[in-house]
Amino acid sequence: MKLAAIPGITPVSMRSVDGTATALTELLVSVRGPESAHDPGVALAARDAAELAHENGAGLVAVVSHAQADPAILVGMVVTADTPLGPDAAAELAHHLSDGEGQDIREVTSSTTTRGYPVVIAERILLSGPPTAGAQLQAVVIEPDGRRMAVFTLHSTTGRGWLELATVLGQLVSSVDFAENHSPSSLSR
């Protein structure tokens, strides 16, 4: 699977949990400004994202930035199903998410990428306290009649500039290309 390089998405190293957490923290502080170095939520959110990414075999951890937004953390991975997903996989996933499975899910939409891949997008507004408060967007791009799904999770602790950040993620999602079946993936470890 291939992804395009998108302006505003800066990947960090995935060599170790500590290295990923440190790189995320440094990048978040450099984007938000030096005063954010005193915000314990920045380092905590970076650490949580690094741990989750490494535990779940993510192949992409990045900071998403936009001039009109606070930075957000992006985690991406390829998930492989045991059996082929089938032509209704996107509709089934959207129905499952819309059917009250996630109390914090605000909206579920379905679309198709420019390459013709189905994508399901779930937006969550997280109401608990920092560092998990804010907004989260998950986009799942499905390989039609295949076994792979590219799963992207974008998390902003402040929600400031959320639509701009979601637009940057949308550009990445639109670039997913499953046609390269056996090439090294940007999302595979």
Side-chain angles (χ1 to χ4, degrees):
M1 189 189 80
K2 293 172 95 174
L3 292 173
I6 304 296
I9 298 179
T10 306
V12 299
S13 171
M14 289 286 298
R15 288 194 186 124
S16 70
V17 172
D18 289 338
T20 301
T22 299
L24 280 173
T25 300
E26 290 172 355
L27 195 50
L28 288 167
V29 168
S30 74
V31 173
R32 279 184 62 185
E35 70 282 352
S36 66
H38 304 290
D39 179 352
V42 171
L44 190 53
R47 181 70 188 192
D48 286 349
E51 288 176 354
L52 286 169
H54 282 268
E55 287 171 11
N56 291 293
L60 172 66
V61 177
V63 170
V64 178
S65 58
H66 187 279
Q68 302 299 316
D70 286 340
I73 297 173
L74 173 65
V75 176
M77 66 188 73
V78 173
V79 177
T80 304
D82 293 333
T83 59
L85 298 169
D88 298 327
E92 290 169 6
L93 177 59
H95 176 73
H96 176 73
L97 292 172
S98 298
D99 200 24
E101 292 298 321
Q103 299 275 335
D104 58 348
I105 294 177
R106 182 173 137 189
E107 184 177 357
V108 176
T109 58
S110 297
S111 188
T112 304
T113 69
T114 54
R115 289 190 164 84
Y117 299 120
V119 60
V120 176
I121 302 157
E123 182 179 24
R124 291 180 165 88
I125 302 299
L126 306 171
L127 301 175
S128 62
T132 58
Q136 185 182 82
L137 190 69
Q138 290 185 308
V140 180
V141 183
I142 300 170
E143 179 183 33
D145 298 321
R147 297 174 187 257
R148 296 179 295 174
M149 294 176 283
V151 180
F152 301 95
T153 303
L154 180 68
H155 179 240
S156 168
T157 58
T158 68
R160 189 180 81 77
W162 185 238
L163 293 177
E164 289 81 2
L165 295 170
T167 299
V168 174
L169 175 60
Q171 293 171 11
L172 182 69
V173 166
S174 291
S175 79
V176 169
D177 188 357
F178 286 111
E180 300 294 319
N181 289 332
H182 300 290
S183 68
S185 168
S186 300
L187 296 181
S188 297
R189 292 175 77 173

PDB file of all heavy atoms in Angstrom, residues 68-95:
ATOM      1  N   GLN A  68      -4.189  27.415  10.885  1.00  0.00           N
ATOM      2  CA  GLN A  68      -5.378  27.851  11.607  1.00  0.00           C
ATOM      3  C   GLN A  68      -5.807  26.871  12.691  1.00  0.00           C
ATOM      4  O   GLN A  68      -6.963  26.888  13.106  1.00  0.00           O
ATOM      5  CB  GLN A  68      -6.534  28.037  10.609  1.00  0.00           C
ATOM      6  CG  GLN A  68      -6.236  29.020   9.509  1.00  0.00           C
ATOM      7  CD  GLN A  68      -5.949  30.409  10.051  1.00  0.00           C
ATOM      8  OE1 GLN A  68      -6.632  30.890  10.933  1.00  0.00           O
ATOM      9  NE2 GLN A  68      -4.901  31.036   9.530  1.00  0.00           N
ATOM     10  N   ALA A  69      -4.881  25.992  13.134  1.00  0.00           N
ATOM     11  CA  ALA A  69      -5.270  24.945  14.080  1.00  0.00           C
ATOM     12  C   ALA A  69      -4.153  24.643  15.066  1.00  0.00           C
ATOM     13  O   ALA A  69      -2.978  24.875  14.785  1.00  0.00           O
ATOM     14  CB  ALA A  69      -5.618  23.670  13.313  1.00  0.00           C
ATOM     15  N   ASP A  70      -4.550  24.111  16.222  1.00  0.00           N
ATOM     16  CA  ASP A  70      -3.574  23.504  17.113  1.00  0.00           C
ATOM     17  C   ASP A  70      -3.207  22.158  16.498  1.00  0.00           C
ATOM     18  O   ASP A  70      -4.046  21.525  15.839  1.00  0.00           O
ATOM     19  CB  ASP A  70      -4.172  23.286  18.510  1.00  0.00           C
ATOM     20  CG  ASP A  70      -4.302  24.586  19.295  1.00  0.00           C
ATOM     21  OD1 ASP A  70      -3.617  25.567  18.948  1.00  0.00           O
ATOM     22  OD2 ASP A  70      -5.095  24.601  20.254  1.00  0.00           O
ATOM     23  N   PRO A  71      -1.989  21.676  16.706  1.00  0.00           N
ATOM     24  CA  PRO A  71      -1.587  20.413  16.090  1.00  0.00           C
ATOM     25  C   PRO A  71      -2.349  19.221  16.677  1.00  0.00           C
ATOM     26  O   PRO A  71      -2.851  19.289  17.801  1.00  0.00           O
ATOM     27  CB  PRO A  71      -0.097  20.318  16.412  1.00  0.00           C
ATOM     28  CG  PRO A  71       0.076  21.136  17.645  1.00  0.00           C
ATOM     29  CD  PRO A  71      -0.929  22.252  17.533  1.00  0.00           C
ATOM     30  N   ALA A  72      -2.410  18.163  15.903  1.00  0.00           N
ATOM     31  CA  ALA A  72      -3.070  16.933  16.326  1.00  0.00           C
ATOM     32  C   ALA A  72      -2.129  15.759  16.066  1.00  0.00           C
ATOM     33  O   ALA A  72      -1.171  15.872  15.305  1.00  0.00           O
ATOM     34  CB  ALA A  72      -4.374  16.734  15.548  1.00  0.00           C
ATOM     35  N   ILE A  73      -2.421  14.651  16.701  1.00  0.00           N
ATOM     36  CA  ILE A  73      -1.628  13.434  16.528  1.00  0.00           C
ATOM     37  C   ILE A  73      -2.380  12.487  15.604  1.00  0.00           C
ATOM     38  O   ILE A  73      -3.580  12.267  15.767  1.00  0.00           O
ATOM     39  CB  ILE A  73      -1.348  12.762  17.884  1.00  0.00           C
ATOM     40  CG1 ILE A  73      -0.514  13.700  18.776  1.00  0.00           C
ATOM     41  CG2 ILE A  73      -0.632  11.424  17.689  1.00  0.00           C
ATOM     42  CD1 ILE A  73      -0.325  13.204  20.193  1.00  0.00           C
ATOM     43  N   LEU A  74      -1.646  11.926  14.646  1.00  0.00           N
ATOM     44  CA  LEU A  74      -2.207  10.976  13.687  1.00  0.00           C
ATOM     45  C   LEU A  74      -1.511   9.634  13.865  1.00  0.00           C
ATOM     46  O   LEU A  74      -0.285   9.564  13.921  1.00  0.00           O
ATOM     47  CB  LEU A  74      -1.985  11.476  12.254  1.00  0.00           C
ATOM     48  CG  LEU A  74      -2.359  10.520  11.125  1.00  0.00           C
ATOM     49  CD1 LEU A  74      -3.862  10.243  11.113  1.00  0.00           C
ATOM     50  CD2 LEU A  74      -1.905  11.083   9.789  1.00  0.00           C
ATOM     51  N   VAL A  75      -2.307   8.575  13.945  1.00  0.00           N
ATOM     52  CA  VAL A  75      -1.788   7.212  13.986  1.00  0.00           C
ATOM     53  C   VAL A  75      -2.448   6.448  12.844  1.00  0.00           C
ATOM     54  O   VAL A  75      -3.665   6.528  12.661  1.00  0.00           O
ATOM     55  CB  VAL A  75      -2.095   6.527  15.338  1.00  0.00           C
ATOM     56  CG1 VAL A  75      -1.629   5.077  15.336  1.00  0.00           C
ATOM     57  CG2 VAL A  75      -1.457   7.296  16.485  1.00  0.00           C
ATOM     58  N   GLY A  76      -1.632   5.733  12.068  1.00  0.00           N
ATOM     59  CA  GLY A  76      -2.164   4.958  10.953  1.00  0.00           C
ATOM     60  C   GLY A  76      -1.618   3.543  10.967  1.00  0.00           C
ATOM     61  O   GLY A  76      -0.484   3.304  11.378  1.00  0.00           O
ATOM     62  N   MET A  77      -2.456   2.610  10.546  1.00  0.00           N
ATOM     63  CA  MET A  77      -2.042   1.213  10.484  1.00  0.00           C
ATOM     64  C   MET A  77      -2.857   0.466   9.442  1.00  0.00           C
ATOM     65  O   MET A  77      -3.941   0.914   9.056  1.00  0.00           O
ATOM     66  CB  MET A  77      -2.192   0.542  11.845  1.00  0.00           C
ATOM     67  CG  MET A  77      -3.627   0.414  12.317  1.00  0.00           C
ATOM     68  SD  MET A  77      -3.781  -0.176  14.013  1.00  0.00           S
ATOM     69  CE  MET A  77      -3.256   1.253  14.919  1.00  0.00           C
ATOM     70  N   VAL A  78      -2.311  -0.634   8.998  1.00  0.00           N
ATOM     71  CA  VAL A  78      -3.036  -1.529   8.111  1.00  0.00           C
ATOM     72  C   VAL A  78      -3.511  -2.709   8.939  1.00  0.00           C
ATOM     73  O   VAL A  78      -2.736  -3.319   9.680  1.00  0.00           O
ATOM     74  CB  VAL A  78      -2.152  -2.017   6.947  1.00  0.00           C
ATOM     75  CG1 VAL A  78      -2.876  -3.079   6.126  1.00  0.00           C
ATOM     76  CG2 VAL A  78      -1.757  -0.852   6.056  1.00  0.00           C
ATOM     77  N   VAL A  79      -4.798  -3.003   8.841  1.00  0.00           N
ATOM     78  CA  VAL A  79      -5.388  -4.142   9.529  1.00  0.00           C
ATOM     79  C   VAL A  79      -5.777  -5.149   8.458  1.00  0.00           C
ATOM     80  O   VAL A  79      -6.394  -4.783   7.447  1.00  0.00           O
ATOM     81  CB  VAL A  79      -6.634  -3.709  10.338  1.00  0.00           C
ATOM     82  CG1 VAL A  79      -7.296  -4.893  10.999  1.00  0.00           C
ATOM     83  CG2 VAL A  79      -6.253  -2.649  11.357  1.00  0.00           C
ATOM     84  N   THR A  80      -5.431  -6.410   8.684  1.00  0.00           N
ATOM     85  CA  THR A  80      -5.750  -7.458   7.727  1.00  0.00           C
ATOM     86  C   THR A  80      -6.790  -8.391   8.339  1.00  0.00           C
ATOM     87  O   THR A  80      -6.577  -8.937   9.424  1.00  0.00           O
ATOM     88  CB  THR A  80      -4.484  -8.251   7.336  1.00  0.00           C
ATOM     89  OG1 THR A  80      -3.508  -7.335   6.837  1.00  0.00           O
ATOM     90  CG2 THR A  80      -4.796  -9.286   6.271  1.00  0.00           C
ATOM     91  N   ALA A  81      -7.897  -8.575   7.651  1.00  0.00           N
ATOM     92  CA  ALA A  81      -8.969  -9.463   8.106  1.00  0.00           C
ATOM     93  C   ALA A  81      -8.623 -10.912   7.773  1.00  0.00           C
ATOM     94  O   ALA A  81      -7.867 -11.188   6.844  1.00  0.00           O
ATOM     95  CB  ALA A  81     -10.283  -9.077   7.441  1.00  0.00           C
ATOM     96  N   ASP A  82      -9.198 -11.836   8.519  1.00  0.00           N
ATOM     97  CA  ASP A  82      -8.970 -13.265   8.279  1.00  0.00           C
ATOM     98  C   ASP A  82      -9.608 -13.738   6.978  1.00  0.00           C
ATOM     99  O   ASP A  82      -9.113 -14.658   6.339  1.00  0.00           O
ATOM    100  CB  ASP A  82      -9.525 -14.097   9.437  1.00  0.00           C
ATOM    101  CG  ASP A  82      -8.768 -13.867  10.738  1.00  0.00           C
ATOM    102  OD1 ASP A  82      -7.573 -13.506  10.678  1.00  0.00           O
ATOM    103  OD2 ASP A  82      -9.374 -14.039  11.812  1.00  0.00           O
ATOM    104  N   THR A  83     -10.711 -13.109   6.614  1.00  0.00           N
ATOM    105  CA  THR A  83     -11.409 -13.487   5.387  1.00  0.00           C
ATOM    106  C   THR A  83     -11.612 -12.251   4.530  1.00  0.00           C
ATOM    107  O   THR A  83     -11.588 -11.129   5.039  1.00  0.00           O
ATOM    108  CB  THR A  83     -12.797 -14.104   5.706  1.00  0.00           C
ATOM    109  OG1 THR A  83     -13.568 -13.142   6.431  1.00  0.00           O
ATOM    110  CG2 THR A  83     -12.656 -15.380   6.538  1.00  0.00           C
ATOM    111  N   PRO A  84     -11.834 -12.441   3.233  1.00  0.00           N
ATOM    112  CA  PRO A  84     -12.091 -11.266   2.372  1.00  0.00           C
ATOM    113  C   PRO A  84     -13.273 -10.456   2.920  1.00  0.00           C
ATOM    114  O   PRO A  84     -14.246 -11.008   3.430  1.00  0.00           O
ATOM    115  CB  PRO A  84     -12.416 -11.886   1.018  1.00  0.00           C
ATOM    116  CG  PRO A  84     -11.720 -13.212   1.037  1.00  0.00           C
ATOM    117  CD  PRO A  84     -11.808 -13.685   2.472  1.00  0.00           C
ATOM    118  N   LEU A  85     -13.156  -9.138   2.795  1.00  0.00           N
ATOM    119  CA  LEU A  85     -14.137  -8.242   3.381  1.00  0.00           C
ATOM    120  C   LEU A  85     -15.464  -8.204   2.632  1.00  0.00           C
ATOM    121  O   LEU A  85     -16.505  -7.998   3.224  1.00  0.00           O
ATOM    122  CB  LEU A  85     -13.547  -6.838   3.476  1.00  0.00           C
ATOM    123  CG  LEU A  85     -12.305  -6.752   4.366  1.00  0.00           C
ATOM    124  CD1 LEU A  85     -11.619  -5.415   4.205  1.00  0.00           C
ATOM    125  CD2 LEU A  85     -12.684  -7.002   5.810  1.00  0.00           C
ATOM    126  N   GLY A  86     -15.435  -8.363   1.341  1.00  0.00           N
ATOM    127  CA  GLY A  86     -16.661  -8.363   0.562  1.00  0.00           C
ATOM    128  C   GLY A  86     -17.104  -6.972   0.167  1.00  0.00           C
ATOM    129  O   GLY A  86     -16.661  -5.975   0.731  1.00  0.00           O
ATOM    130  N   PRO A  87     -18.010  -6.901  -0.790  1.00  0.00           N
ATOM    131  CA  PRO A  87     -18.418  -5.603  -1.347  1.00  0.00           C
ATOM    132  C   PRO A  87     -19.248  -4.743  -0.394  1.00  0.00           C
ATOM    133  O   PRO A  87     -19.365  -3.544  -0.588  1.00  0.00           O
ATOM    134  CB  PRO A  87     -19.243  -5.998  -2.576  1.00  0.00           C
ATOM    135  CG  PRO A  87     -19.713  -7.388  -2.298  1.00  0.00           C
ATOM    136  CD  PRO A  87     -18.656  -8.031  -1.453  1.00  0.00           C
ATOM    137  N   ASP A  88     -19.817  -5.338   0.656  1.00  0.00           N
ATOM    138  CA  ASP A  88     -20.650  -4.584   1.593  1.00  0.00           C
ATOM    139  C   ASP A  88     -19.926  -4.197   2.875  1.00  0.00           C
ATOM    140  O   ASP A  88     -20.553  -3.729   3.827  1.00  0.00           O
ATOM    141  CB  ASP A  88     -21.898  -5.400   1.945  1.00  0.00           C
ATOM    142  CG  ASP A  88     -22.769  -5.673   0.733  1.00  0.00           C
ATOM    143  OD1 ASP A  88     -22.807  -4.808  -0.166  1.00  0.00           O
ATOM    144  OD2 ASP A  88     -23.393  -6.751   0.677  1.00  0.00           O
ATOM    145  N   ALA A  89     -18.622  -4.388   2.919  1.00  0.00           N
ATOM    146  CA  ALA A  89     -17.865  -4.155   4.149  1.00  0.00           C
ATOM    147  C   ALA A  89     -18.008  -2.722   4.659  1.00  0.00           C
ATOM    148  O   ALA A  89     -18.186  -2.505   5.856  1.00  0.00           O
ATOM    149  CB  ALA A  89     -16.391  -4.505   3.935  1.00  0.00           C
ATOM    150  N   ALA A  90     -17.929  -1.744   3.774  1.00  0.00           N
ATOM    151  CA  ALA A  90     -18.034  -0.344   4.207  1.00  0.00           C
ATOM    152  C   ALA A  90     -19.417  -0.056   4.783  1.00  0.00           C
ATOM    153  O   ALA A  90     -19.540   0.580   5.837  1.00  0.00           O
ATOM    154  CB  ALA A  90     -17.724   0.597   3.046  1.00  0.00           C
ATOM    155  N   ALA A  91     -20.453  -0.522   4.124  1.00  0.00           N
ATOM    156  CA  ALA A  91     -21.818  -0.301   4.605  1.00  0.00           C
ATOM    157  C   ALA A  91     -22.036  -0.990   5.952  1.00  0.00           C
ATOM    158  O   ALA A  91     -22.665  -0.428   6.856  1.00  0.00           O
ATOM    159  CB  ALA A  91     -22.827  -0.801   3.583  1.00  0.00           C
ATOM    160  N   GLU A  92     -21.494  -2.186   6.104  1.00  0.00           N
ATOM    161  CA  GLU A  92     -21.638  -2.913   7.368  1.00  0.00           C
ATOM    162  C   GLU A  92     -20.909  -2.195   8.493  1.00  0.00           C
ATOM    163  O   GLU A  92     -21.429  -2.080   9.604  1.00  0.00           O
ATOM    164  CB  GLU A  92     -21.114  -4.342   7.202  1.00  0.00           C
ATOM    165  CG  GLU A  92     -21.996  -5.190   6.314  1.00  0.00           C
ATOM    166  CD  GLU A  92     -21.349  -6.518   5.930  1.00  0.00           C
ATOM    167  OE1 GLU A  92     -20.251  -6.841   6.439  1.00  0.00           O
ATOM    168  OE2 GLU A  92     -21.949  -7.252   5.124  1.00  0.00           O
ATOM    169  N   LEU A  93     -19.706  -1.702   8.227  1.00  0.00           N
ATOM    170  CA  LEU A  93     -18.951  -0.974   9.241  1.00  0.00           C
ATOM    171  C   LEU A  93     -19.676   0.318   9.626  1.00  0.00           C
ATOM    172  O   LEU A  93     -19.818   0.630  10.809  1.00  0.00           O
ATOM    173  CB  LEU A  93     -17.536  -0.665   8.744  1.00  0.00           C
ATOM    174  CG  LEU A  93     -16.661   0.156   9.690  1.00  0.00           C
ATOM    175  CD1 LEU A  93     -16.484  -0.545  11.032  1.00  0.00           C
ATOM    176  CD2 LEU A  93     -15.308   0.429   9.041  1.00  0.00           C
ATOM    177  N   ALA A  94     -20.144   1.056   8.644  1.00  0.00           N
ATOM    178  CA  ALA A  94     -20.867   2.303   8.921  1.00  0.00           C
ATOM    179  C   ALA A  94     -22.119   2.030   9.756  1.00  0.00           C
ATOM    180  O   ALA A  94     -22.407   2.748  10.720  1.00  0.00           O
ATOM    181  CB  ALA A  94     -21.233   3.007   7.616  1.00  0.00           C
ATOM    182  N   HIS A  95     -22.852   0.973   9.417  1.00  0.00           N
ATOM    183  CA  HIS A  95     -24.055   0.610  10.172  1.00  0.00           C
ATOM    184  C   HIS A  95     -23.691   0.247  11.614  1.00  0.00           C
ATOM    185  O   HIS A  95     -24.355   0.679  12.565  1.00  0.00           O
ATOM    186  CB  HIS A  95     -24.790  -0.542   9.496  1.00  0.00           C
ATOM    187  CG  HIS A  95     -25.979  -1.014  10.268  1.00  0.00           C
ATOM    188  ND1 HIS A  95     -27.143  -0.290  10.335  1.00  0.00           N
ATOM    189  CD2 HIS A  95     -26.157  -2.112  11.043  1.00  0.00           C
ATOM    190  CE1 HIS A  95     -28.003  -0.933  11.117  1.00  0.00           C
ATOM    191  NE2 HIS A  95     -27.423  -2.034  11.553  1.00  0.00           N
TER     192      HIS A  95
END
